[in-house]
Each structure stands twice: as C-alpha cells, then as structure tokens.
Amino acid sequence: MYRKFITSLIALGLFTVLASGTGFGQERAKTGKKEVTRNEHQVPEQSAQRVTRGPSFYIAAFEGDNRLFSVLLSDGNGKTVSGSFTLQQIDVFEAVLEAAKAFALTDEKVGSGEPIITRLMEQHEWSLFVDVSKKGNQSRFYVSLITLHGKLTAEAGEIIRGSKKEPSALLLKILSQVQNAKAGIKPGMQ
C-alpha cells in the first residue's frame, strides 16, 4: 500500500509538471508573435527604401591624440572605406576640397557636348582626391578616399554655376566637417 501511495504521488507530481509545462507553452503561444501576411511584410521594406540615404562622410580626431583623425566615406549603396590620417594629411585634404570648390565655380574647362572631368589632388598625397565633372553650367563632384582598407569613390553632389540658389553639395559639407574637426583640436596638441 505504501508503494502504491508513492507511485500515485510520483504520477501526480509528473502530471502536475507536465500540465504546468503545457500551460506555460500555451501561454507563450498566446503572447507570441502573430502571423504576418505577405502585404504586411512589404510595408517595412518599402519604408526602408524611402529611408535609404545617399553618400556620407565622417571625420573626427582620435581621443587622446588630436594629431590623428579617423575618416569614413560611404557611397550610399552600402560600401564604405575608413582610415586614419595625420593632421598634415587633413590639411592637404582641406586644400584639395577648397580647390575643387573654387574650380567648380569657374567657367574653366567646361564641356559642351560631353562633360570634361578634372582631377584635383596634391602630388604627394593620393589618399583623398576630387574629380570635378563640368558640362554647361553644372559642376558635379566625386570624392575618392584610398586607405589600407580599400578605395572608394562617392558622388558628392553638384553646383550649378550662376544659380541664385545656395549650393548644398556633399563636397561643401565634407569641407565644413574637415574644418570643424581641425577647429576642435586643443591648442598645443598640433
């Protein structure tokens, strides 16, 4: 009789554990994710396509050593390249960007049928250069960055010469970011 009592008690305990496990399983099923229809899957994808951004540029001084800068260029299609550069290289980058901006605003080397492309770079620093494509009154920019991790060229906007509208090309933003990064250097760290 004692053995029958123990067997019944064990059976009741197993039944209780199994029943409570099933209850938890059922509870998870009730609070789990609902089935998503095909139309509901398309909405986030369409939203993601609208959020897709174009080319971008990032620069910042290294924390603890303001003589080194981290630079990242993205083409807007998922490709990026990054690298570390010295203050002297950043000075050259700034000069190349300023020269590209000034050249884009002139009527020098403008194509009439086909665009004429002019590369602006410093002869001893090939890590960053700018191609300016000119046709009619339009100047288009292409920024290239070469690092140990690879090479990438990204469209950097356009300027319409003679337009009263303020130019907003990515190249101008890159120039501003480079100048701001340099301005953020603490005195004595140069």
Side-chain angles (χ1 to χ4, degrees):
M1 180 142 153
Y2 181 72
R3 191 177 237 201
K4 195 174 187 180
F5 175 73
I6 295 290
T7 305
S8 296
L9 189 59
I10 291 173
L12 182 60
L14 286 173
F15 179 77
T16 305
V17 169
L18 290 174
S20 64
T22 304
F24 286 127
Q26 288 174 345
E27 190 63 34
R28 273 189 236 126
K30 289 179 188 175
T31 59
K33 295 180 181 178
K34 69 173 191 157
E35 279 190 32
V36 180
T37 65
R38 181 176 168 91
N39 289 338
E40 289 173 315
H41 276 296
Q42 292 174 350
V43 174
E45 290 172 9
Q46 292 168 351
S47 298
Q49 289 173 354
R50 278 183 264 150
V51 177
T52 302
R53 297 175 50 191
S56 62
F57 180 85
Y58 170 83
I59 182 171
F62 274 83
E63 195 170 318
D65 188 354
N66 288 332
R67 294 168 296 177
L68 288 176
F69 292 81
S70 176
V71 175
L72 175 98
L73 178 66
S74 169
D75 69 356
N77 294 318
K79 294 179 184 173
T80 61
V81 69
S82 63
S84 302
F85 297 92
T86 65
L87 178 59
Q88 291 77 23
Q89 288 175 301
I90 298 302
D91 287 337
V92 170
F93 294 171
E94 181 181 17
V96 169
L97 294 165
E98 285 177 342
K101 175 186 171 187
F103 176 71
L105 294 171
T106 70
D107 290 329
E108 182 183 349
K109 294 189 179 179
V110 176
S112 56
E114 290 293 316
I116 295 177
I117 300 170
T118 304
R119 178 163 290 169
L120 291 104
M121 65 189 310
E122 206 277 331
Q123 106 183 41
H124 299 292
E125 181 57 62
W126 297 11
S127 298
L128 181 130
F129 55 89
V130 178
D131 292 323
V132 181
S133 170
K134 291 172 130 182
K135 179 180 175 183
N137 65 345
Q138 180 185 59
S139 296
R140 297 189 61 76
F141 300 106
Y142 300 89
V143 174
S144 296
L145 184 66
I146 301 172
T147 71
L148 296 174
H149 303 288
K151 174 187 174 187
L152 183 68
T153 299
E155 290 185 39
E158 67 183 15
I159 290 178
I160 306 297
R161 291 182 307 285
S163 173
K164 295 181 187 216
K165 183 180 174 187
E166 185 69 27
S168 62
L170 175 62
L171 180 114
L172 303 176
K173 293 175 186 167
I174 293 172
L175 177 57
S176 175
Q177 287 177 304
V178 167
Q179 291 168 338
N180 290 339
K182 285 178 53 182
I185 298 175
K186 296 176 185 167
M189 291 295 292
Q190 296 180 13

